[in-house]
Amino acid sequence: MNKTRSFSIVGLGLLAMVLTLAWSPMVYGQSFPDGTTVKETLHNLRRSAVGPMPVEDYGEICVYCHTPHNSNTAVAAPLWNRTAPAGPYTMYSSPTLDMTIDPSPGGVTLACLSCHDGTIGVDVIINEPFSYSGSGAKAGTIGACAGCHDGDSPPGGLNFEGTLIGTDLSNDHPVSIQYDPTADSKFHPAADVVSAGLPLYVANRVECGSCHDPHSAQWRPFLRMSNDDSAMCLTCHNI
């Protein structure tokens, strides 16, 4: 093999390695993307973690959701750094539903929907970090990501399938619903649910955060406990 061909092969190998690294998420230890800290989950939206997505890299992790000052107090999430989505939303309904459901989502559900309904860019925040000097949000929505990144397309790419909820919530588990076992005997007492690790919010409401923990992906997709043998479902449902 001549030297020119040898160098060409080596060069192509290096190029392939660079491209692979450019498209692959940065692995923090062995836990990404199923870690127990935000840094090691897909909620780490820094470009170094998620790859070349249309998301601005602010140089911090928590800033995509939280800010220490001048937060959005209209959303019931601590130090919230995002605007509230406008909807309107189609809520869950059923003729067998015995508990009271709100006419529109509220609480921490609204915080989750500020990304997951696909109407607001995931990098659109209220306060940028003081140390940041970039050009601002690129307004890439989950909808834009899911348009290409579904299943294993592209091969080895991140999978956004199932993360785009949209504004029609009628085909999802009911949220912003008052958990009231006195209205339906097929549910466990609220105190048992909370003690098992599933929080209920204002007036015992079930919100997205009742089942999902945005800070840990120990049990995907960001569940608060394992759902093996429907264990999490049966924490509330008595059937």
Side-chain angles (χ1 to χ4, degrees):
M1 181 181 294
N2 62 49
K3 290 184 178 180
T4 301
R5 186 178 180 187
S6 176
F7 288 146
S8 298
I9 293 174
V10 172
L12 288 173
L14 289 173
L15 177 61
M17 182 178 70
V18 169
L19 290 175
T20 300
L21 291 173
W23 279 94
S24 300
M26 180 179 289
V27 178
Y28 298 102
Q30 298 300 313
S31 299
F32 189 92
D34 305 330
T36 56
T37 67
V38 174
K39 184 177 182 179
E40 295 178 323
T41 74
L42 293 177
H43 278 167
N44 178 358
L45 295 175
R46 291 200 61 198
R47 191 178 298 115
S48 59
V50 299
M53 286 171 49
V55 176
E56 183 63 16
D57 190 340
Y58 291 113
E60 298 181 13
I61 299 172
C62 300
V63 72
Y64 293 92
C65 291
H66 303 286
T67 180
H69 304 289
N70 301 315
S71 62
N72 181 3
T73 57
V75 178
L79 300 174
W80 198 241
N81 198 24
R82 298 177 57 79
T83 58
Y89 296 95
T90 302
M91 301 296 283
Y92 182 92
S93 64
S94 169
T96 62
L97 185 66
D98 299 314
M99 300 180 187
T100 302
I101 190 167
D102 295 339
S104 61
V108 297
T109 291
L110 208 58
C112 299
L113 289 171
S114 70
C115 271
H116 287 277
D117 76 355
T119 64
I120 303 174
V122 296
D123 56 355
V124 177
I125 59 177
I126 297 173
N127 296 316
E128 297 171 349
F130 181 77
S131 59
Y132 172 74
S133 60
S135 58
K138 291 181 171 59
T141 66
I142 286 181
C145 301
C148 294
H149 291 266
D150 61 333
D152 196 33
S153 175
L158 297 179
N159 183 4
F160 285 84
E161 189 176 17
T163 62
L164 177 60
I165 298 173
T167 58
D168 184 357
L169 309 183
S170 63
N171 60 348
D172 298 288
H173 188 286
V175 290
S176 298
I177 182 172
Q178 187 175 14
Y179 187 82
D180 183 10
T182 64
D184 192 331
S185 60
K186 293 182 179 180
F187 288 84
H188 293 292
D192 293 351
V193 172
V194 174
S195 64
L198 302 183
L200 299 173
Y201 295 86
V202 177
N204 277 352
R205 276 175 169 74
V206 174
E207 305 287 0
C208 291
S210 297
C211 294
H212 298 279
D213 179 358
H215 302 111
S216 172
Q218 180 178 0
W219 299 288
R220 297 187 74 177
F222 289 94
L223 298 180
R224 288 197 176 273
M225 63 173 64
S226 170
N227 199 33
D228 287 349
D229 295 327
S230 300
M232 189 175 72
C233 300
L234 294 173
T235 300
C236 293
H237 295 267
N238 179 19
I239 56 175

